[in-house]
Each structure stands twice: as structure tokens, then as C-alpha cells.
Amino acid sequence: VQDPVATAQRLEDRLVTEEDADVVIALTPVGVDSAEEIANATDAVDVVVSGDTAEVQAPERVGGAVVTQPDSGAESLAEIDLTVTDGEVTAAEGTLVETDPEAARDEAWASYIDEIRAEYGFDTVLTRTDVPLDAGGPHYDRETAMGNALATGVLEYTDADVAVTNAGGIRGGATYGPNVTAGDVRATLSFG
């Protein structure tokens, strides 16, 4: 893993000089503090959208960029309006918009997504659980049923004496069960 500030500086230079970009938006899963460091240490980055922590920050100007971090699990989205004049961002404003879990699915996107889910068997039920498996939010300070299930799976698969799992590697942002599908497993264990 490379330093996010140095990486942003290197990439902003390439985007502006080699790619002739007018607007640079950095998607940085590093948390608000590091996102603000990126905003303060870069010249051409216009927006820094962060994630990967439980923090939430409405869009606000930090240094020369707008920094934001919406809620995890797509509970909100950042809406940012940029005014670009002669290849420069001259104004920026934004807000967090709460999503509506009851909103109707867009049929064009639903069809596309459903085909991919079917191709990879994501709706296939792999197992059942009587215990809710919570993978939502960071649980670095306590044991969870999801962490126990994953460590037990590794233990049994490898026939090891001990297994430990990294809480930061448990993704998905939901509570799973009673049916656990292949899609649930992929969402929860998104790393190779």
C-alpha cells in the first residue's frame, strides 16, 4: 500500500499534464482525515470522495478541494455540483442525499445486474444459519457471529489448530441469514 497523499500528487500531475483533465475527482477509501490531507496537499484535485470508515461528512471545502464521505451501505450519496469554466473548477457545492430503500428498481439496470447475478450464481443458497451474521459497520472492538463463522470455516477447511480473521476484511455491510447465498459470501469476502 502506497502513501495516499504521495499517490494523489503523482496521479494528479499525470492526469493534468498527460491526460489534459479539466476535473480530477479522487475516490479514496482512506477515511476523512486522510482525505483532508489529500485535499490540502494537492493542487489539481477538485473533489475527494472517501469511504472505508464509519465517519460521515457532508461535502465541504478543504484546501482547494471538496471533501465528502457518504454513509456506508449506500444509505446516502454525495451530490456535488461543479462549475467548470475554461477547464477550471470555479465553484463547487454539495450535500448528502439520503437514499430511499423503498425506491423502485430501474428496470434497465435491474436487468443488467440480474443477468450478472445469474451468470455467477449469486442467488444460489449455500447454507442456512439460525444466528444472524452481522457484517455491517466496523467491529474491530468485539467478537461477531460473522467473524466466528469465517474463522470456523477457515479452521475446518484447512484442518488447522487455530484460525483468526481480520475484522477489516469482513465486508458487505448487512446482516445475513437465515439463507446465506453465494452473493452474500462474495459481498462479505470481497478480497481474493
Side-chain angles (χ1 to χ4, degrees):
V1 176
Q2 299 177 358
D3 175 77
V5 173
T7 301
Q9 290 169 328
R10 186 181 77 251
L11 292 176
E12 80 170 335
D13 184 55
R14 187 182 95 209
L15 289 169
V16 171
T17 59
E18 296 176 26
E19 305 293 333
D20 198 29
D22 292 335
V23 177
V24 177
I25 300 173
L27 304 177
T28 61
V30 295
V32 173
D33 290 343
S34 292
E36 290 178 349
E37 288 178 26
I38 291 169
N40 282 318
T42 56
D43 296 320
V45 173
D46 300 297
V47 178
V48 183
V49 180
S50 190
D52 202 38
T53 66
E55 299 169 275
V56 176
Q57 179 170 308
E60 70 177 46
R61 180 143 321 256
V62 176
V66 172
V67 175
T68 188
Q69 181 165 307
D71 290 298
S72 64
E75 292 180 22
S76 70
L77 303 172
E79 181 179 300
I80 302 171
D81 295 315
L82 302 175
T83 302
V84 181
T85 307
D86 297 324
E88 296 289 327
V89 174
T90 56
E93 60 183 50
T95 188
L96 292 180
V97 178
E98 288 187 32
T99 56
D100 179 0
E102 303 301 319
R105 291 177 77 194
D106 178 279
E107 288 307 314
W109 278 108
S111 174
Y112 173 76
I113 291 167
D114 289 346
E115 286 179 25
I116 292 171
R117 291 186 65 79
E119 178 181 345
Y120 289 97
F122 285 160
D123 293 324
T124 303
V125 175
L126 300 178
T127 192
R128 290 185 45 80
T129 178
D130 293 330
V131 176
L133 302 175
D134 184 10
H139 300 299
Y140 300 121
D141 60 342
R142 63 183 171 86
E143 200 171 333
T144 65
M146 180 60 81
N148 287 338
L150 295 174
T152 300
V154 169
L155 190 70
E156 291 181 8
Y157 182 80
T158 62
D159 199 29
D161 293 326
V162 176
V164 177
T165 188
N166 168 13
I170 300 172
R171 301 302 173 132
T175 299
Y176 300 100
N179 292 329
V180 179
T181 67
D184 298 338
V185 171
R186 182 65 180 147
T188 304
L189 301 174
S190 56
F191 303 107

